[in-house]
Amino acid sequence: MKTPPLLDVHHCSINFGGLMALNHVSFSLDEGELIAIIGPNGAGKTTLFNLLTGVYSPSEGSIFFKGETIEGKTLQAMNCLGVARTFQNIRLFSNMSVADNVKAAWYARLQYGLGSAVLGSKGVKEEERIVAQQVDDLLTLFHLSDQKNELAKNLPYGEQRRLEIVRALATHPKLLLLDEPAAGMNPTEKNDLIDLIRRIHREYQLTVILIEHDMQVVMTIAPRILVLDYGVAIAEGSPEEIRQNQKVIEAYLGEV
Amino acid sequence: MSSFLQQLINGVAWGSIYALIALGYTMVYGIIRLINFAHGDVYMIGAMSGYFLARWLSLQNGPASFFIILPLSMLVCALLGFVIEKLAYKPVRHAPRITALITAIGVSLFLEYGGQLLFGADPKFFPTLIPTNPFINLGGVFVSNIQFLIIITSLVLMIILHWIVMRTKMGLCMRAVSFSHTASALVGIPVDRVISFTFILGSALAGAAGVLVGLSNPKVEPLMGIMPGIKAFVAAVLGGIGSIPGALVGSLILGISETMVTAYISSTYRDALAFIILILILLFKPTGLLGGRQQTKV
Amino acid sequence: MKRVIIVAGVMSVLLILDQFISLILNPYITQIIGLIGINIVLVVSLNLITGFTGQFSLGHAGFMAVGAYVSASLTVFCGDFYPSFLNPLFFLIFTLCGGSCAAFCGFLIGLPTLRLKGDYLAIVTLGFGEIIRVIILNIQTIGGARGFSGIPERASFFWIYFWVFVVLLVLFRLIGSTKGKAFLCVRDDEIAAESIGIRPTRVKVTAFVIGSFFAGTGGALFAHFNTYLNPSSFTFLKSVEIVTMVVLGGLGSLSGSVLSALLLTALPELLRIASDFRMVLYSLLLIVVMIKRPQGIMGMREINFKFKMQKLR
């Protein structure tokens, strides 16, 4: 028997006051896959992310994660199920230190309650020590340990993006959604990012969905690509197939 | 029954005063998303300046004096509103909203306690410009001439306001700025001037409310603006903040229900009523009766 | 073990000071020192709600009133049921009762209204404070509009600063722990907080409950310090006074709160400024601080002796 896909999006539609933002989009994703979603501006890519993370619910269709429907789940609940995401317009805890940004991601998995935090019992100290150690390890791994006491808002743009990814990783997700991670980066930063995503994908055995405009990034790292245009999934396939797909060329360049 | 109708009329008169104040709240909120806490105190200044103008100009009591004092007080308040915006709110316009809100509270306290220092804390008695007479008799239910004047003046002012907002170029600019400062600036709308104009307009209306309240309720003192100010805001929220007809509807509902509570339950509970209404409306229809929808963008 | 020694040490220092303070200082100064302590409790507790969790509340005086009236009624009406040497114990219990009632009110008001953002929340909490005041005005057994007099003086220096110690300890521990980072997350970005598994509503309600608990204890201290309560002490203006102190000290700085509670309580008293002039001063201070230094004295930092010099810029 075949194992069910990690994520199964089944004929999902959503409309905002008459505008069909997504129109019967279907795709599925096996564990460990890395897929990129591309498409012109306003194609519904971020909307799709919002559906997958419980920010919106689909007006039609259904989404299954690990074989179970995600109907009625909130963003918070989706994270606890193992879906982590970053945001198109970076959402860091800007007045917290880099280390605290990552540390906060342990919140939902802590054993102790606020009461024992106040009393400062032994278990709390032990757990805090472990968390701090793991935060340190993560920051070192992703070259952010020099900035760990810096406020997040004071980081350069590329590092803010990186920190957001690390924070999402720190929730130990099964599925990681990256919303335009390369936006606004220079070529060196982009290369670093490609390495970073590859490493995450490989070392953490994560399933990754990536929204990206930068074709170089997409074509380099994504074995599979889904193309959205006006809310419709117009093509799906390997970078080579997508590059030659007539519909995709039309969507990007207009009618030929 | 006739006592009920009488209360209803009292409520409408009281609601019209709220409406004049609430309009200023709703316009300012619509345009810079700020609860202008000082707005109730501008209304107090309206009443105060009415009192002092009547004394300094040594006006004869009579309807004519009312029509001199009303525009002058409105002018004083308009000026005050202009100055407040320029000195206090403009510097914090791009700061987080909590900063602007605290600034507004600061301005409000400044007007209240500055007023106490300047005018003295003791209440003043507004001159009886027009002695109260039953004016219209609707089968045993009376509308006094003062109530009539309040309702009619408010109505006229609101019609003028509506005309300004919907029919003039400035009104168009106001509506544009309320949607987006950046976009308005890009198409050449002088955003700063439009905001100043909004404050001037709103404060003038509050000034009118101050004078009108002086007619029916002659005790004026520096802290008189706190409660009506907050309640007018509640009325604006009730009707849907940012919406001009909403402010009117909300104010009438609040005015009438307050009068009814005072008449049939107890005046001590009157002050709590507005807040109970507020909490209920925010729980069940946070956008107010006539307000639009808003959604956070992710 | 180390902690027990520290706590015992603090307690004994407080007890010793308690004995000597009235001998060394004149009653007027002692009075001010007491007020400062009460204000620290109020300001620090509001800082949890507004500074650390980012929920602007204008109803702190309401929670304070609940604590004050509940504890005062307990002391006054239950005073005959226990021997007088147990007074301190029962004062502690009644203070806890007052705080708990305030916390319960915080829960009640918090649960439905915390979905509201910024200014709406401010106005609802303001309204809530007023509703509480109107309710108190209408209860004749606790004096109604006449005020509640004849409350025994129980809030000694020791008790006031015991609570100062407790509130500071609790807040330092909370904010320092990983679990407590959730408060700051909600303040900085609710959606991002949700995306890492934090329930903003729950965090906000927690902040409200803890904050109002300490507001209630602050009220209880005030009641047993002043020996007289009047609903007019708990108006919107009292809330604004507390907000002013929080903002001036720095939203999100505990040491800032302590500092500004100290300054804003002591200065006007020592300068013997009449109360209406004090309010003019407060208001101007608020406006100027908001325009020139919106982050307050301390910003979000804490006084730290290991403070690096380059951080001072």
Side-chain angles (χ1 to χ4, degrees), chain A residues 22-230:
Chain A
L22 284 176
N23 196 348
H24 293 280
V25 172
S26 299
F27 71 97
S28 69
L29 204 58
D30 285 327
E31 217 167 319
E33 263 197 287
L34 193 165
I35 181 174
I37 298 177
I38 63 170
N41 284 326
K45 304 181 296 290
T46 299
T47 306
L48 181 60
F49 266 23
N50 284 339
L51 284 181
L52 296 180
T53 50
V55 178
Y56 302 144
S57 8
S59 351
E60 254 182 89
S62 41
I63 300 170
F64 297 90
F65 181 69
K66 292 199 265 190
E68 279 174 49
T69 173
I70 67 160
E71 203 180 305
K73 294 270 194 294
T74 60
L75 179 58
Q76 177 266 339
M78 285 313 289
N79 181 260
C80 294
L81 281 179
V83 180
R85 71 174 286 182
T86 66
F87 298 89
Q88 195 175 348
N89 41 353
I90 310 179
R91 284 179 179 271
L92 286 172
F93 305 121
S94 42
N95 291 308
M96 291 164 68
S97 72
V98 168
D100 282 350
N101 263 274
V102 180
K103 208 180 224 178
W106 261 268
Y107 172 84
R109 279 167 293 131
L110 287 172
Q111 299 297 315
Y112 69 79
L114 278 179
S116 27
V118 168
L119 295 174
S121 59
K122 214 173 192 125
V124 174
K125 276 188 184 154
E126 181 59 19
E127 216 181 330
E128 288 283 350
R129 201 188 53 75
I130 296 170
V131 171
Q133 185 59 50
Q134 287 178 319
V135 170
D136 270 351
D137 292 348
L138 262 180
L139 290 178
T140 316
L141 205 59
F142 293 101
H143 312 299
L144 282 166
S145 51
D146 290 343
Q147 296 92 322
K148 68 182 232 188
N149 294 320
E150 202 70 54
L151 290 188
K153 64 177 173 196
N154 296 337
L155 289 187
Y157 190 77
E159 287 180 4
Q160 291 198 7
R161 286 253 177 239
R162 185 137 39 99
L163 176 58
E164 211 192 7
I165 298 175
V166 175
R167 185 182 68 191
L169 268 184
T171 65
H172 297 293
K174 299 285 291 175
L175 174 63
L176 179 64
L177 310 180
L178 302 174
D179 199 344
E180 294 196 27
M185 285 187 172
N186 62 35
T188 339
E189 285 175 325
K190 275 181 191 164
N191 284 332
D192 288 348
L193 182 80
I194 292 174
D195 286 344
L196 175 77
I197 295 174
R198 280 197 168 138
R199 230 169 80 200
I200 293 170
H201 180 223
R202 204 174 46 234
E203 286 174 23
Y204 292 82
Q205 279 123 39
L206 273 178
T207 315
V208 180
I209 308 182
L210 173 76
I211 291 178
E212 192 45 74
H213 273 302
D214 190 294
M215 285 306 150
Q216 186 221 335
V217 175
V218 171
M219 297 292 172
T220 327
I221 55 175
R224 190 150 75 97
I225 297 173
L226 174 74
V227 189
L228 288 182
D229 187 31
Y230 290 112

Side-chain angles (χ1 to χ4, degrees), chain B residues 159-240:
Chain B
I159 291 170
I160 296 175
L161 176 75
H162 191 259
W163 177 77
I164 293 178
V165 173
M166 300 315 271
R167 292 273 182 274
T168 64
K169 202 168 155 190
M170 195 44 133
L172 185 68
C173 293
M174 284 168 67
R175 282 180 285 146
V177 172
S178 78
F179 277 105
S180 162
H181 287 201
T182 327
S184 306
L186 283 175
V187 295
I189 294 173
V191 175
D192 282 351
R193 257 176 46 206
V194 172
I195 292 174
S196 291
F197 182 77
T198 309
F199 270 88
I200 288 173
L201 214 57
S203 306
L205 291 179
V211 175
L212 289 175
V213 117
L215 290 182
S216 65
N217 197 356
K219 221 168 86 174
V220 293
E221 43 106 12
L223 302 187
M224 68 185 276
I226 304 179
M227 270 299 143
I230 295 173
K231 286 179 188 164
F233 175 74
V234 171
V237 172
L238 177 61

